[in-house]
Amino acid sequence: MKTLQIALGAALGVLATGGPALARDVGGVACTTPQPVRCEGTACVPGPLADLGNATDAKTGRKFWLDYPCDLKPGEKVTFILNLHGAGSVGNWQRHYFPASDYVQKHRLVVATPTAATATPVRRWDGAADDAHLQNITDFVFDSFGKANVKSMWLAGHSQGGFTSRRIVCSDYFKGKVDGWLSLSGGRIGQAPFVKQFGPPKADGSPPDPRPAGPNPMANDTPPACDFSHIFAVGQWEIDSLPETSPWATKYGCGARIREKDIVDDKPGHVWDFSRAGYKVWGMKAGPGKSEVYVYPKCRDGRVVADVVRMDKGHTEGLEPKVTEALVKMIVGAKGGKVQGGD
């Protein structure tokens, strides 16, 4: 049963095979190249980032962003990414921070990027306020593009969006649908410990106070209770160190960690924390960079387990083009099939 439709109306037909026939516009959402409402640097504020999306959840009236290939053919397979922002952010910032939508055409992606409902005291994902909305969006993508055509589904989340991805990945609704979780500075299975003075700077620009002694409330080392691939990407200055082993790699019988060729980007990401840049742990102005890539090879059942450390970066600099595409390639190359009941 269709649980979501775009406010402009569904623009779907039905093939003789029973699957949806895609027009250029899906569900009334016009497909354009380049993607709509894109911006660079300080040109993003205040206007473009305030735009909450080109699509509407009919059950809640909430806007979200939907990006997909303009030349998609009936029956063509796609990879679906549900892209979640961090606390204090909004969907279009996340759409620029992890700009998977830049690669929808090349790598045949469908990317949905929503905005959390709870804004006080800071915008953040909340189960009671948001889980049904995320499920509605997922139902819409499956209905519109055809379950048989969604070869893989991934959750991607920055910071609190990453914690939220971990919270929902094995929930009753998502555990039979999600093939992978990309954590963008949002926690690792086998935690990479955050530095003691992690967080945004104080109003005067000085570092935050160190965390009190005791367990780190941002760490969660209880292994999730379902199967999926896991990629962790983080800024160098956010963590004390990257563990050399992974309990998730052990679960799937992966080989010992290997370091692949560094990714060197000569272009910056699209966005950063415009109002608080300056404390390197939190993040500076976006710039070119180098990323170290660590992969656990030959994982059972085609799973992918990997870590990516963005050197000389903190928590909020937007991802550069080459490292973004490298992450997208890992996602597309990982095992899928849950949506079709293959897991």
Side-chain angles (χ1 to χ4, degrees):
M1 180 178 68
K2 185 184 290 285
T3 61
L4 183 79
Q5 57 181 261
I6 300 303
L8 296 179
L12 300 173
V14 179
L15 298 175
T17 58
L22 301 180
R24 182 176 177 80
D25 295 353
V26 173
V29 179
C31 190
T32 63
T33 302
Q35 304 299 319
V37 194
R38 301 309 303 273
C39 56
E40 296 291 336
T42 55
C44 291
V45 291
L49 294 188
D51 191 326
L52 297 182
N54 58 351
T56 305
D57 174 349
K59 282 201 166 186
T60 65
R62 291 167 60 177
K63 304 285 286 186
F64 66 96
W65 285 101
L66 182 71
D67 296 290
Y68 63 94
C70 291
D71 60 349
L72 196 65
K73 299 176 177 62
E76 185 178 354
K77 301 297 186 286
V78 295
T79 298
F80 170 38
I81 301 174
L82 184 57
N83 195 15
L84 304 183
H85 66 74
S89 187
V90 292
N92 209 20
W93 191 89
Q94 176 68 13
R95 189 167 165 254
H96 287 77
Y97 170 82
F98 176 55
S101 59
D102 288 350
Y103 299 97
V104 294
Q105 203 81 13
K106 183 175 181 180
H107 294 293
R108 319 314 285 170
L109 308 177
V110 174
V111 184
T113 314
T115 297
T118 302
T120 303
V122 65
R123 191 173 299 280
R124 67 196 185 279
W125 297 103
D126 175 82
D130 298 306
D131 283 5
H133 178 49
L134 300 179
Q135 293 171 21
N136 291 345
I137 292 171
T138 302
D139 287 342
F140 168 75
V141 169
F142 292 163
D143 289 342
S144 299
F145 295 91
K147 274 192 174 184
N149 300 326
V150 179
K151 67 177 183 179
S152 180
M153 177 181 177
W154 277 66
L155 298 175
H158 175 239
S159 193
Q160 196 253 345
F163 304 151
T164 299
S165 298
R166 178 164 178 157
R167 177 180 63 79
I168 67 176
V169 67
C170 293
S171 65
D172 288 344
Y173 177 86
F174 283 107
K175 66 183 179 183
K177 300 175 178 67
V178 174
D179 298 288
W181 167 39
L182 169 61
S183 174
L184 300 158
S185 303
R188 180 183 187 267
I189 302 174
Q191 182 62 34
F194 288 93
V195 297
K196 289 183 178 179
Q197 288 181 283
F198 175 82
K202 296 179 180 178
D204 63 2
S206 62
D209 294 329
R211 291 193 316 272
N216 183 352
M218 294 182 288
N220 180 0
D221 284 326
T222 303
C226 62
D227 292 312
F228 54 89
S229 294
H230 176 44
I231 305 169
F232 175 63
V234 71
Q236 177 188 7
W237 304 126
E238 299 181 72
I239 57 174
D240 285 326
S241 62
L242 180 71
E244 295 183 1
T245 60
S246 163
W248 211 241
T250 299
K251 174 179 179 175
Y252 294 110
C254 310
R257 187 183 81 171
I258 60 173
R259 181 173 172 178
E260 296 193 336
K261 184 179 179 180
D262 291 350
I263 300 168
V264 179
D265 271 283
D266 58 5
K267 294 181 180 179
H270 298 298
V271 293
W272 59 94
D273 187 335
F274 303 112
S275 64
R276 295 181 292 187
Y279 172 49
K280 70 177 185 179
V281 170
W282 189 246
M284 309 294 283
K285 178 181 177 180
K290 180 178 73 172
S291 298
E292 296 181 353
V293 181
Y294 300 91
V295 173
Y296 295 86
K298 300 179 180 178
C299 300
R300 187 169 57 250
D301 299 329
R303 303 289 177 195
V304 169
V305 181
D307 297 308
V308 176
V309 181
R310 300 171 62 213
M311 306 306 294
D312 200 29
K313 302 293 181 183
H315 191 62
T316 57
E317 296 100 331
L319 275 74
E320 303 79 27
K322 290 181 182 178
V323 71
T324 299
E325 186 172 18
L327 292 169
V328 166
K329 286 180 177 179
M330 289 186 197
I331 288 171
V332 172
K335 178 184 178 179
K338 276 194 179 181
V339 178
Q340 294 84 31
D343 189 29

